[in-house]
Amino acid sequence: MRLSRYFLPTLKETPSEAQIASHRLMLRAGMIRQSSAGIYSWLPLGFRVLKRIEQIVREEQNAIGCHEILMPTIQPADLWRESKRYDAYGPEMLRITDRHERDMLYGPTNEEQITDIFRTTVRSYRHLPKLLYHIQWKFRDEIRPRFGVMRGREFLMKDAYSFDIDKAGARLSYNKMFVSYLRTFERLGLKAIPMKAESGPIGGDMSHEFLILADTGESEIAYHRDLLNIDLTKRDIDFDGNLQPIVDTFTLKYAATDQERDPVTEKNLGENLVTGRGVEVGHIFYFGTKYSKAMNALVTGPDGDEVMVEMGSYGIGVSRLVGGIIEASHDEAGIIWPESVAPFKVGLINLKSNDADCDTACEGMYDALGKAGVDVLYDDRGERAGVKFTDMDLIGLPWQLIAGPRGLKAGTVEVKCRKTGERQEVSIDSALSMLSQ
Ligand code: 5CA
């Protein structure tokens, strides 16, 4: 992508309404624009990151046999009357009346909708277990939307739902999702800590939140140091095998929110105790027959009896993750994208646009990297070098490839790693092969 033709409205000034780093940086890097309180438009750079996160979440859901569907944003109120949540949900729910005076709502979550799909399509235990998910916009009229996309009113969520014939099966589905979440967050370049949690308005009796560490997180947490040192991405996990040992490794280690902290345990943990703040990026729930009972979702069991299905639901805050990743990974100069979600891998900086040597070298590198399948943002604008450096650091692409007249005379360009700040002067060929890996 040529920056001269791109739509990247970066800001020099720090927007006054933004209280935390991710909100400030997303506005300054031209990723989002506010439409109204807690509601944002996604501009090209932000949209690319959102889509890359979405894709990793999708791949990891598919990997555990969870099937993608797409349910509507607008739901009929009658479904929520069946579950008794229409009144219970309160003013957070955006209620809408259509031209026929029918009560509708903009979905804050989809338990009712999926239970309705299930009860009208699945009749036998032989079709269980089933795991289904979608990635869809939600609306919650939060009393205090804040921190940009971190607590929005309109936000993108991955929500999955499991259906099992009995509690044991539901536990297996829960464990699959639990381990899949750990993998998902690791692939996003994050360390997530699972914590036992309250079920809140979703209901149910087993629930875990997944928190990523960030100083500006809304929850205060304490945990065993080991929880940060487990790497699942390198392990070949059999999702149809016994996942309980992995789940136990995480759930038996100490992890507690501020309200649940236990002074005795913490004293015993000694040096292994770490405290910090966290952002909730995922939340999983086992709620048994809460919805299947209320909405009559029955299947025929092995002995011919009608059985109420056991259900769970599993959320990931996809749009919140964009902010969460920035909270976990930035410096004074700007964002530092993990490679897995970066909007482009390489930022190519032409230090002297309109200089024949610089232009030729940059065009050649841009071409070669493009052919090698590398996403490159080429700063070909007629701006001063200082402006280009500042913008490139701000938008946080993992690698900068810098070409100027002096280096080119000696046959070299510079490769800078955004994360470490390390710079290497190398030939064009070696730069290209480094960045094409
Ligand atoms: N139905 C269940 C699971 S699918 C559910 O709705 N769970 S939730 O309420 O915990 O939301 C799931 C995830 O969505 C949260 O972990 C959080 O990451 C994200 N989320 C929730 N509210 C917001 C919000 N106002 N802005 C941005 N993300 C949010």
Side-chain angles (χ1 to χ4, degrees):
M1 183 66 61
R2 287 168 196 279
L3 191 42
S4 61
R5 296 182 200 164
Y6 202 41
F7 183 58
L8 185 70
T10 55
L11 305 174
K12 280 196 195 62
E13 310 301 327
T14 299
S16 59
E17 75 269 26
Q19 296 164 356
I20 62 169
S22 60
H23 190 194
R24 263 194 311 271
L25 291 169
M26 286 180 77
L27 290 169
R28 284 194 50 213
M31 294 177 65
I32 50 167
R33 272 289 173 281
Q34 184 172 313
S35 165
S36 61
I39 304 181
Y40 293 87
S41 298
W42 292 78
L43 307 187
L45 197 78
F47 189 62
R48 283 179 85 103
V49 176
L50 188 68
K51 288 285 148 183
R52 293 206 68 185
I53 295 173
E54 190 183 305
Q55 187 54 24
I56 289 175
V57 170
R58 174 175 290 120
E59 285 168 15
E60 292 299 324
Q61 291 290 291
N62 294 346
I64 58 166
C66 193
H67 306 294
E68 186 166 16
I69 61 173
L70 184 58
M71 291 180 272
T73 54
I74 307 290
Q75 303 178 26
D78 280 346
L79 281 182
W80 288 68
R81 292 195 173 104
E82 282 189 57
S83 71
K84 306 276 186 294
R85 281 211 293 182
Y86 189 62
D87 294 325
Y89 220 94
E92 272 203 9
M93 181 185 275
L94 182 62
R95 293 151 207 266
I96 304 164
T97 312
D98 74 9
R99 69 200 298 165
H100 304 294
E101 298 291 316
R102 273 191 286 257
D103 293 330
M104 312 292 281
L105 57 98
Y106 195 119
T109 173
N110 287 63
E111 279 81 4
E112 286 77 359
Q113 185 101 61
I114 193 91
T115 306
D116 183 48
I117 293 171
F118 184 88
R119 69 180 171 184
T120 54
T121 50
V122 180
R123 292 283 150 78
S124 163
Y125 77 96
R126 273 184 251 108
H127 298 126
L128 298 181
K130 276 280 167 291
L131 282 168
L132 300 167
Y133 76 100
H134 74 160
I135 300 175
Q136 178 63 290
W137 293 91
K138 305 287 186 287
F139 193 91
R140 293 182 186 173
D141 205 349
E142 300 271 353
I143 191 159
R144 219 150 77 86
R146 58 181 185 154
F147 302 156
V149 300
M150 301 279 268
R151 181 167 297 283
R153 292 199 296 165
E154 192 180 61
F155 59 96
L156 189 61
M157 192 201 288
K158 183 285 299 180
D159 39 325
Y161 303 87
S162 65
F163 301 89
D164 283 276
I165 188 70
D166 55 22
K167 283 195 170 60
R171 176 87 214 196
L172 293 179
S173 295
Y174 191 89
N175 284 355
K176 267 190 193 178
M177 207 54 87
F178 188 107
V179 176
S180 145
Y181 271 36
L182 294 168
R183 277 247 294 231
T184 305
F185 297 126
E186 277 181 18
R187 279 189 65 191
L188 295 170
L190 299 167
K191 278 286 169 204
I193 300 175
M195 304 242 175
K196 246 177 98 121
E198 297 292 322
S199 301
I202 308 292
D205 46 33
M206 181 164 62
S207 174
H208 285 90
E209 281 176 21
F210 290 76
L211 292 117
I212 56 165
L213 301 174
D215 294 342
T216 45
E218 290 194 277
S219 325
E220 203 159 304
I221 51 176
Y223 52 95
H224 191 297
R225 186 183 298 284
D226 283 0
L227 287 175
L228 294 180
N229 299 331
I230 309 168
D231 186 353
L232 292 179
T233 45
K234 291 190 183 69
R235 276 203 233 167
D236 196 14
I237 297 168
D238 173 13
F239 279 102
D240 291 319
N242 181 12
L243 299 171
Q244 198 63 46
I246 303 180
V247 172
D248 286 346
T249 310
F250 283 89
T251 50
L252 301 179
K253 288 272 181 197
Y254 184 72
T257 55
D258 204 26
Q259 300 91 47
E260 292 161 342
R261 287 174 64 173
D262 171 16
V264 180
T265 315
E266 293 194 2
K267 190 155 177 282
N268 292 339
L269 280 177
E271 284 189 349
N272 286 320
L273 179 78
V274 190
T275 56
R277 301 191 73 81
V279 176
E280 182 204 312
V281 287
H283 201 156
I284 61 178
F285 305 82
Y286 162 68
F287 44 72
T289 56
K290 177 178 160 148
Y291 296 92
S292 49
K293 198 167 172 184
M295 298 179 66
N296 221 20
L298 302 165
V299 294
T300 318
D303 45 16
D305 293 345
E306 302 251 273
V307 184
M308 261 164 213
V309 286
E310 296 277 333
M311 291 175 59
S313 74
Y314 312 87
I316 289 184
V318 177
S319 51
R320 173 178 289 184
L321 272 165
V322 181
I325 291 170
I326 298 175
E327 286 301 325
S329 182
H330 69 273
D331 61 17
E332 319 77 60
I335 303 166
I336 304 171
W337 290 116
E339 235 174 276
S340 59
V341 300
F344 298 90
K345 178 177 174 181
V346 177
L348 171 58
I349 300 180
N350 184 343
L351 286 183
K352 204 168 177 197
S353 299
N354 296 324
D355 171 277
D357 286 348
C358 287
D359 288 354
T360 311
C362 287
E363 292 292 333
M365 291 190 287
Y366 181 57
D367 244 36
L369 287 171
K371 288 205 176 89
V374 180
D375 278 333
V376 182
L377 183 64
Y378 171 24
D379 194 345
D380 59 340
R381 297 173 302 172
E383 296 282 354
R384 285 181 297 112
V387 173
K388 295 187 177 184
F389 285 136
T390 311
D391 277 351
M392 209 50 98
D393 278 351
L394 172 64
I395 66 171
L397 309 184
W399 298 98
Q400 295 176 12
L401 175 55
I402 305 157
R406 206 176 323 138
L408 287 174
K409 279 219 169 64
T412 63
V413 290
E414 209 169 48
V415 177
K416 176 180 149 185
C417 170
R418 174 68 181 86
K419 187 171 173 185
T420 60
E422 197 186 325
R423 294 158 175 275
Q424 279 177 274
E425 231 178 270
V426 293
S427 70
I428 290 184
D429 280 350
S430 19
L432 293 178
S433 74
M434 274 167 77
L435 297 172
S436 301
Q437 275 160 26

